[in-house]
Amino acid sequence: MWAAAVTAVTVAIGAVLSVSAADIDPALREAAHRAAATLSRIPLTDSRPGADGTYERAQFGAAWTDAVSVTGGGNGCDTRNDILARDLSDITTGITSKCARAVMSGEFRSPYTGEFIVFSRERAASAVQIDHIVPLAFAWSMGASSWPASRRYAFANDPANLVAVDARSNQDKSDAEPARWMPPLKRFRCQYSVQFVAVTGAYGLTLDKPSAQALAEVLEDC
């Protein structure tokens, strides 16, 4: 059941990744309204549990594996290339060991900052990174630790939970939850909150109360 729910989330929120418009459009307002309803049904904890030493990145599978059942899985390209192809424009492609149509170059504005970045696989490829909207370590402490491995692998590679961003923002965010971190670019916070809630709800994770409050405040202003 959860796989079907995640597919629905991907379709519903894939269109709100753009930050080209300064004003929030009616479709996004409607998405925020649905997210607020979803948020009201998500189980809450008083606070995020402290790290207990059990989380490891490897518990979510090999990074960017194509061997998953979510959208894009099994298409012959690793997840990183799938997201670069989705989020960058004016791309060129080539063949690599992980993808027959790997993104070799392109450009985009980081949704977290608005910074314009020219991507090149040959020069400073790490300037563009792929962020998990709902961080893996956060998910681990909010329910993913009890999941079967296949579900964790799907979560780590689900396009609904991924977005290309600038490296500095990705590093600044780390595994922080919404109560501690929101995108510096304020006009993207609505899209970010919609995605965070949609993925959390689809996968049946819990939320800490401070983050639920932070998300509710953003969605109210959408």
Side-chain angles (χ1 to χ4, degrees):
M1 182 177 294
W2 65 269
V6 173
T7 299
V9 168
T10 304
V11 172
I13 68 176
V16 301
L17 288 169
S18 174
V19 295
S20 59
D23 297 326
I24 298 173
D25 62 33
L28 182 53
R29 289 193 181 93
E30 178 58 29
H33 179 76
R34 293 194 300 270
T38 299
L39 180 59
S40 69
R41 298 190 295 270
I42 292 175
L44 303 179
T45 61
D46 286 337
S47 60
R48 176 181 177 175
D52 61 5
T54 61
Y55 167 74
E56 294 180 0
R57 173 61 178 83
Q59 289 156 333
F60 287 82
W64 312 132
T65 177
D66 189 42
V68 288
S69 58
V70 293
T71 301
N75 67 358
C77 279
D78 60 289
T79 304
R80 175 176 165 81
N81 273 293
D82 288 341
I83 302 304
L84 290 175
R86 183 194 71 184
D87 291 357
L88 274 59
S89 61
D90 295 327
I91 64 172
T92 64
T93 61
I95 299 173
T96 69
S97 61
K98 295 183 178 180
C99 182
R101 52 188 183 282
V103 176
M104 309 305 288
S105 66
E107 59 187 35
F108 85 129
R109 288 193 181 276
S110 172
Y112 285 175
T113 64
E115 177 186 359
F116 181 76
I117 297 175
V118 176
F119 170 78
S120 171
R121 182 177 293 273
E122 295 181 352
R123 300 189 305 277
S126 62
V128 177
Q129 298 183 7
I130 309 302
D131 181 47
H132 291 93
I133 302 291
V134 180
L136 301 186
F138 178 74
W140 178 262
S141 64
M142 292 299 185
S145 60
S146 65
W147 293 350
S150 60
R151 185 171 182 174
R152 290 198 296 270
Y153 299 173
F155 180 84
N157 293 277
D158 192 330
N161 192 34
L162 299 171
V163 62
V165 300
D166 62 289
R168 182 182 295 275
S169 291
N170 192 38
Q171 293 159 7
D172 287 347
K173 175 187 173 183
S174 186
D175 67 348
E177 66 275 21
R180 293 191 296 138
W181 190 92
M182 279 281 179
L185 187 65
K186 290 184 178 180
R187 72 171 183 256
F188 188 70
R189 290 181 181 180
C190 186
Q191 289 97 322
Y192 182 84
S193 297
V194 166
Q195 280 188 262
F196 201 103
V197 170
V199 172
T200 299
Y203 277 91
L205 294 167
T206 59
L207 266 177
D208 60 292
K209 288 181 180 178
S211 289
Q213 180 63 33
L215 290 163
E217 290 175 359
V218 172
L219 293 172
E220 171 118 14
D221 290 337
C222 288

